[in-house]
Amino acid sequence: MPALKNSGSSRASKAPPSNLPGAVTAFLLLTAYGAIAAWWMWSRGYSYYFGDAEAHLNIARRILDSRTPGGSQIGTVWLPLPHLLFAPFTLNDKLWINGLAGVIPAVLCFATAGALLYKLTARVLGSQEAGLAAALLFATNPTMLFLASAPMTEPAMAAALMGLLLATLWFRDAQTTPALFAVGAAANAAALTRYEGWFLIPFVTTYVWLVARNKQQAFVFAILASIAPVAWLAHNQFYYGDALAFYRGPYSAQAILARQLGAGMAQPAAGDWKLAAEYYAYAVRDVVQLPLLIAAGLGLLVALYKRAFWPLLLLLLPGLFYVWSVHSGGTPVFVPELEPYSPYNTRYALAVLPVAAFAAAALVALLPKKAGAGACVLALGVLCGQLRLPVSISWEEAQLGSEARRVWQAEAAEYLRENYRPGAGLVFFFGDLSGVLREAGIPFRETVYQDNRAAWDAAMDRQSAFASEEWALALEGDAVDRRVHELGDAFRLEKRIEVKGAPAVLIYRRT
């Protein structure tokens, strides 16, 4: 490894103070604020309106609670860091069953993101008041508050992005080995959280090369930043026999898109850059809200005047990634204003919230140093124009999309809670049905599903192995349902749950 300079620069000596006490205070206040908001939403059942939230929680649980615990339970498509953050909390059965195991780490990620945004803005714009405004604008967004009450990946990605930006500024000023490794650690955290983290790597590498006095440091960083993507490729190759299983496997966005197109779902923006930008722009307006966007547009001029070029660019990149994703068809984003007039995936517009909050906060930097009230006035003014808790467009999407699932999940869970006895064993296809087992309090180690490779293959191939499980839980027509029918009278149907707009849920018991 080439020698890395450890001496500070004159630039570092002129850098603003670290604002660490302020960041710690911001973290504690945002944790309390986020906890109150999350408790309010969780107590009303909103935290698991998104099916993805239920899936994230249960994937985290099965890493440690499974007949075959370990890396094979991480899966192929969703990146692992959020699940690893949730996993320790899911070990507590009570927290897993009631869902707080996913809410607690989400709140902590939300508070971390807001505190780092405060620190970043105060550092770049030279104004703690601007930092306060940015944190308030970020923390009062209805969609961010909603997702911070659920085991979703957006709060964790926001925290990783803020950490990455701060680390690059640290390296720029200090040119030290610890700073370079901090950039590498933050880049890996982002790349293990969401795929836009992969998109950021070449841009960050270029920035490191531009600001580094020793250009070999950029080469070192490129090696460090490649660890997460290479590890994920290796994981997919080792467990699933295909390094690109996350991209082209049966659960990939590509496969989901093919199934959606086969079912007649339109993708009007796929292949059209203008339409992709238009759909995403509408989603940004609906999620980030017009008052904040107007303030951000005005503040952008101030931020440019203060030469905040790199922070603005890095914070803009996740939004550009999603325009690209909409264009490719891999991540459809629909909006109520355009065909097919749906709020589907509008939450991806939340990627623009940090840059909007940062730019809008630049307006506060114009105020006198001690005019801290200006931060509150700006944030509260924007808040009054956007906040309508609990409703955000993403909440509306989740509420609408989960109506049928919430009904059949509760009914199936109640039946199993009353009739299933510990140790009896159950076979099911891991997916939406995993929420039934969580709500019923049935540990995954008592079940067989497709990621228990040998046990699942045996259940699908040999009658005696399947018959050792007393229960089977299926959606009508899925692999378990088909296998039960192949076994003839080995199982009898105990419960059939039919809800309009969803396949029937079937609960079988061995005869």
Side-chain angles (χ1 to χ4, degrees):
M1 181 181 290
L4 303 176
K5 298 184 74 171
N6 284 289
S7 60
S9 66
S10 59
R11 197 178 203 168
S13 65
K14 296 178 182 178
S18 68
N19 292 317
L20 181 60
V24 171
T25 302
F27 173 78
L28 295 175
L29 291 175
L30 287 171
T31 298
Y33 167 71
I36 293 169
W39 178 271
W40 188 87
M41 295 192 195
W42 169 83
S43 65
R44 287 158 175 77
Y46 300 155
S47 295
Y48 291 91
Y49 272 15
F50 271 125
D52 285 1
E54 186 73 67
H56 286 308
L57 180 67
N58 293 323
I59 289 172
R61 167 79 180 200
R62 75 181 191 179
I63 293 172
L64 302 171
D65 169 29
S66 171
R67 293 193 183 189
T68 54
S72 64
Q73 301 305 310
I74 290 175
T76 62
V77 178
W78 278 325
L79 289 160
L81 184 56
H83 301 139
L84 296 176
L85 294 176
F86 301 147
F89 297 91
T90 66
L91 284 178
N92 182 298
D93 286 344
K94 185 176 181 180
L95 293 180
W96 174 57
I97 293 168
N98 66 26
L100 282 175
V103 175
I104 295 170
V107 170
L108 294 175
C109 288
F110 161 80
T112 300
L116 291 178
L117 179 58
Y118 161 82
K119 181 177 171 64
L120 165 72
T121 307
R123 176 190 177 96
V124 173
L125 300 177
S127 166
Q128 293 191 19
E129 293 77 19
L132 174 60
L136 287 171
L137 292 169
F138 173 86
T140 54
N141 179 270
T143 297
M144 177 54 75
L145 275 176
F146 172 47
L147 296 183
S149 74
M152 299 291 280
T153 59
E154 283 79 4
M157 184 61 204
L161 179 62
M162 296 304 106
L164 177 59
L165 184 46
L166 273 169
T168 60
L169 297 178
W170 179 24
F171 173 74
R172 179 200 68 189
D173 294 339
Q175 300 283 316
T176 62
T177 300
L180 183 65
F181 275 82
V183 181
N188 278 284
L192 290 174
T193 300
R194 293 178 68 93
Y195 288 102
E196 57 261 43
W198 295 32
F199 180 71
L200 299 177
I201 290 174
F203 295 93
V204 178
T205 303
T206 301
Y207 180 77
V208 169
W209 181 81
L210 288 173
V211 302
R213 293 193 192 87
N214 180 353
K215 298 304 180 185
Q216 290 179 314
Q217 292 173 318
F219 176 73
V220 174
F221 171 75
I223 295 174
L224 292 174
S226 68
I227 292 173
V230 170
W232 191 237
L233 293 169
H235 166 86
N236 278 264
Q237 180 64 43
F238 182 79
Y239 287 110
Y240 298 94
D242 180 6
L244 295 176
F246 68 92
Y247 175 72
R248 62 191 180 195
Y251 308 113
S252 65
Q254 192 177 79
I256 293 171
L257 173 63
R259 290 193 290 270
Q260 290 172 336
L261 293 175
M265 179 177 172
Q267 286 272 35
D272 187 324
W273 284 109
K274 181 176 179 296
L275 268 182
E278 186 177 0
Y279 272 79
Y280 193 71
Y282 272 110
V284 168
R285 190 190 69 176
D286 291 338
V287 169
V288 180
Q289 302 279 310
L290 197 56
L292 178 53
L293 291 174
I294 293 172
L298 297 173
L300 177 63
L301 301 175
V302 180
L304 291 173
Y305 173 76
K306 287 182 171 288
R307 304 180 66 82
F309 304 128
W310 170 240
L312 288 171
L313 174 61
L314 187 61
L315 293 177
L316 274 171
L317 287 174
L320 297 179
F321 170 82
Y322 280 110
V323 174
W324 178 28
S325 297
V326 173
H327 172 268
S328 72
T331 308
V333 172
F334 299 152
V335 290
E337 296 87 351
L338 300 171
E339 292 185 5
Y341 307 110
S342 161
Y344 181 65
N345 278 346
T346 49
R347 70 181 184 275
Y348 292 132
L350 206 61
V352 176
L353 177 62
V355 69
F358 174 82
L363 293 174
V364 176
L366 293 175
L367 300 173
K369 283 286 184 182
K370 295 187 177 181
C376 297
V377 170
L378 173 66
L380 291 175
V382 172
L383 174 61
C384 291
Q386 71 177 13
L387 188 56
R388 47 197 182 107
L389 281 176
V391 179
S392 76
I393 190 170
S394 295
W395 180 89
E396 292 171 348
E397 176 200 349
Q399 191 272 341
L400 193 64
S402 66
E403 284 180 333
R405 175 178 57 82
R406 285 182 280 126
V407 173
W408 61 250
Q409 179 173 309
E411 190 172 342
E414 182 181 6
Y415 181 86
L416 287 174
R417 192 162 47 241
E418 293 175 353
N419 293 277
Y420 181 90
R421 296 294 174 263
L426 180 148
V427 62
F428 77 111
F429 193 88
F430 199 99
D432 286 343
L433 291 172
S434 64
V436 173
L437 301 188
R438 175 188 67 82
E439 203 168 323
I442 300 173
F444 292 136
R445 60 184 173 272
E446 296 190 14
T447 70
V448 173
Y449 51 88
Q450 68 270 30
D451 286 303
N452 305 134
R453 296 296 187 80
W456 173 261
D457 291 343
M460 294 296 105
D461 292 339
R462 295 199 302 270
Q463 179 175 340
S464 59
F466 194 174
S468 67
E469 311 302 324
E470 184 175 342
W471 295 87
L473 175 65
L475 294 175
E476 190 167 37
D478 72 7
V480 173
D481 186 36
R482 294 194 301 271
R483 183 61 179 147
V484 166
H485 285 291
E486 290 172 1
L487 295 174
D489 59 357
F491 283 78
R492 66 174 178 268
L493 181 64
E494 294 286 332
K495 181 78 172 176
R496 179 184 179 92
I497 302 169
E498 294 187 359
V499 179
K500 184 178 179 181
V505 178
L506 309 171
I507 301 177
Y508 295 97
R509 192 169 190 177
R510 192 178 69 218
T511 57

